[in-house]
Amino acid sequence: MQTLSAKDAKYGFGRLIDLARAGPVAVAKHGRPVVVVMAVEEYDRLKGIEEGQQNSSDKSDGADD
């Protein structure tokens, strides 16, 4: 995963968008990663996986309602 400083992300926002469309980009503040920027398609894919896992754990918790 590529990393940009917060300053570089701010002043090179167009570049950040281009990089994030190719793969997740960490944005670091004071040398420590604080956020990850990713393409909306990747976000949607991950949310779908998360929702699928939550649904299967709901079904397997053994509770009868």
Side-chain angles (χ1 to χ4, degrees):
M1 177 175 358
Q2 272 198 280
T3 302
L4 292 178
S5 69
K7 179 182 174 183
D8 289 342
K10 178 180 178 179
Y11 292 109
F13 191 70
R15 179 171 180 253
L16 173 61
I17 291 172
D18 291 341
L19 290 171
R21 292 184 72 194
V25 179
V27 178
K29 200 167 188 177
H30 305 292
R32 297 182 59 162
V34 291
V35 297
V36 173
V37 180
M38 67 180 73
V40 71
E41 295 86 2
E42 179 66 2
Y43 174 80
D44 289 342
R45 185 184 73 80
L46 293 171
K47 285 298 287 181
I49 291 170
E50 179 185 55
E51 289 168 2
Q53 289 174 347
Q54 287 176 352
N55 289 340
S56 58
S57 70
D58 291 345
K59 292 176 185 174
S60 66
D61 68 1
D64 290 329
D65 292 333

